[in-house]
Amino acid sequence: MTRRVAPVVGAALLIAPLALAKDPPQPLGLLAASAGETVVLAEPLGPQVTQFETGPVGWLYEAPGGALFAPDLVNGRTTVIDLRTGQVADRFDGVTMPHFAPAGDRYVVVADDVLLVSYPERAVMTRMAAGIRYPWQVEMVSDTVLLVLERGPDGNGAATLHAVDLATRQVVFRRELAGDVRRFALSRALGLLAFADASSGTVELVLPATLTPVGSLEMGGGVRDVAYLDSRGELAAVAAAADGTSGELKVWKLKPTDGGLKVKKERALPLPGTPVRLAIAPDERQLAVALDPGSILVVDVDELVVARTLELVSPPRDLVWCDPARPGPVLPDWSDDNPPELRLGPR
C-alpha cells in the first residue's frame, strides 16, 4: 500500500472479551445504531444496552440536550429517544430529519428546498430553493453554512457536493465529484475536506473553498467512511476488502508544513467484516466501526486495538456516537410564565 500527498495550496447483543493489555480510559457518551426494525443504545464499554422498536430507520440524528431522532421513512413516523434517561421521549407521525448547527439553537432540513428552523420552538427562520433532491450527508459547518453530499436514492450514480450559505440565501457552489464518493469529513484544524471514494480505494484530500486537490491516501479497498480527529491532528477511514467479506481501518497522523502536508504516521487494523459506518467518541480517544453482517467494534485510538465487540441481530444501517452531555439551547425564563402568586407580606 502506498500514499500520495501533494503540497497544500493554502490552508440481542454479545460482548466479546477485551483485547487490550491495559484498561482503556472509559469512553464518554453512548453508541446508537439502527439495525433491522430497532435502534440500539449502548454504553461503549459498560453493561447498559437498550433496544427500541422504531421500524426501519435509515439515518440517526442527534440533537443537543440529549435527544436522538430516529425517523422511519417506510412508515412515515419518528421516534425521539431521551439519551439521558434511556427511554422513548416521543413518537409522532411524520418524518423529522434535523441537522443541527454548532450553536444548537437551530437546525436545517434539506428536501429540495433548505429550511433553517429554530430549536426547540421549530419556527422557520429561513427558507431558500436549493434544488437538492437526494441529500445523502448534510453537515452544518457553521450556524449558516452547510455542505450537502447528494446521491441517488439507491446510492448509485454520480455524487454532487453542494455548499449553501443561508445568510445570503445562495448556493455557493454545486460540483459533481469524480468516483464513487460515499462520505466526506471536514477538518477545521487542517482546513481540509476528505472524501471517501469507494471506486478508487482512496481518501481524497481537497481545499474546502475551491475543492482543489491536495493529496490522496491509499487504502486496501473501497473506502466507505472517513472522519477527522481534529484535536489529535489525525484522519481515520474504513474500507471494504475487494472480496466483500472483510475490511480495514486506517489512521493517519497529519501535519501541515510550509506549503505542504506531511503524513507523520500511518496505522492499520484489519476488520472482520465489511465496514458500513465510522463514528468518533466525543473525546476522540475511541472510535467505533459498524460492520456488516452485524456488529460494532469499539477501538482504542492510541493502541489501535479492539476494546469491545457488540454483536447485532441484523446488519447496521447507521452508527452515531452520541454525547448526552451536549448542552441544549439556553431558553429565556419569562416572568409572565410563572404561576400567579398572592403577595401579602410587607412592602
Side-chain angles (χ1 to χ4, degrees):
M1 303 176 190
T2 60
R3 60 177 178 266
R4 298 177 283 111
V5 179
V8 175
V9 188
L13 290 175
L14 172 66
I15 303 176
L18 295 184
L20 290 176
K22 59 181 180 180
D23 292 336
Q26 289 300 310
L28 300 174
L30 295 169
L31 287 171
S34 58
E37 302 276 328
T38 65
V39 168
V40 175
L41 202 63
E43 293 178 340
L45 295 182
Q48 188 65 41
V49 174
T50 311
Q51 187 167 292
F52 304 90
E53 295 294 332
T54 58
V57 172
W59 303 98
L60 297 167
Y61 302 85
E62 183 186 5
L68 181 70
F69 287 79
D72 172 2
L73 275 68
V74 175
N75 299 299
R77 63 187 180 189
T78 300
T79 300
V80 183
I81 299 171
D82 188 326
L83 297 171
R84 296 175 178 177
T85 64
Q87 297 178 341
V88 173
D90 194 10
R91 279 195 177 99
F92 54 85
D93 292 333
V95 172
T96 297
M97 296 186 287
H99 305 273
F100 281 85
D105 63 351
R106 65 197 67 185
Y107 63 86
V108 295
V109 176
V110 182
D112 203 357
D113 291 350
V114 175
L115 282 75
L116 182 65
V117 184
S118 67
Y119 184 78
E121 299 90 350
R122 295 187 175 90
V124 176
M125 303 166 63
T126 301
R127 181 172 191 149
M128 61 168 285
I132 306 174
R133 298 183 60 193
Y134 305 117
W136 187 269
Q137 180 186 354
V138 179
E139 298 294 337
M140 289 289 292
V141 299
S142 75
D143 289 339
T144 56
V145 175
L146 64 147
L147 295 174
V148 182
L149 179 66
E150 183 179 21
R151 292 169 59 91
D154 55 2
N156 297 321
T160 302
L161 185 71
H162 307 260
V164 179
D165 187 342
L166 288 167
T168 61
R169 301 189 182 187
Q170 291 181 326
V171 178
V172 180
F173 64 74
R174 194 189 315 266
R175 305 281 176 80
E176 186 172 313
L177 305 176
D180 182 15
V181 177
R182 301 291 182 91
R183 301 280 297 179
F184 72 86
L186 173 67
S187 170
R188 301 174 187 277
L190 298 174
L192 290 175
L193 266 176
F195 293 127
D197 189 343
S199 61
S200 68
T202 60
V203 176
E204 301 297 330
L205 304 176
V206 304
L207 299 179
T210 61
L211 301 190
T212 303
V214 169
S216 182
L217 301 172
E218 298 281 346
M219 296 205 62
V223 187
R224 299 299 179 85
D225 204 355
V226 61
Y228 281 103
L229 296 88
D230 247 6
S231 66
R232 305 170 61 101
E234 293 180 321
L235 173 68
V238 289
D243 60 8
T245 62
S246 60
E248 178 185 47
L249 164 69
K250 271 193 175 182
V251 179
W252 296 271
K253 182 75 172 180
L254 304 176
K255 181 181 179 181
T257 61
D258 292 338
L261 183 72
K262 181 180 180 181
V263 177
K264 296 184 64 177
K265 190 175 183 180
E266 177 182 306
R267 298 178 291 153
L269 175 69
L271 301 174
T274 303
V276 177
R277 290 284 282 108
L278 174 66
I280 307 296
D283 60 5
E284 300 184 352
R285 292 183 176 183
Q286 291 85 16
L287 57 83
V289 183
L291 301 177
D292 193 352
S295 62
I296 299 171
L297 303 184
V298 179
V299 178
D300 179 84
V301 175
D302 288 330
E303 303 293 335
L304 207 65
V305 292
V306 177
R308 186 186 187 187
T309 300
L310 306 174
E311 298 293 344
L312 301 174
V313 296
S314 54
R317 296 189 186 93
D318 196 16
L319 176 67
V320 179
W321 200 311
C322 304
D323 183 6
R326 179 184 173 187
V330 178
L331 301 177
D333 183 13
W334 301 105
S335 59
D336 56 1
D337 286 342
N338 296 329
E341 180 182 355
L342 185 63
R343 300 180 181 179
L344 297 176
R347 295 181 180 179

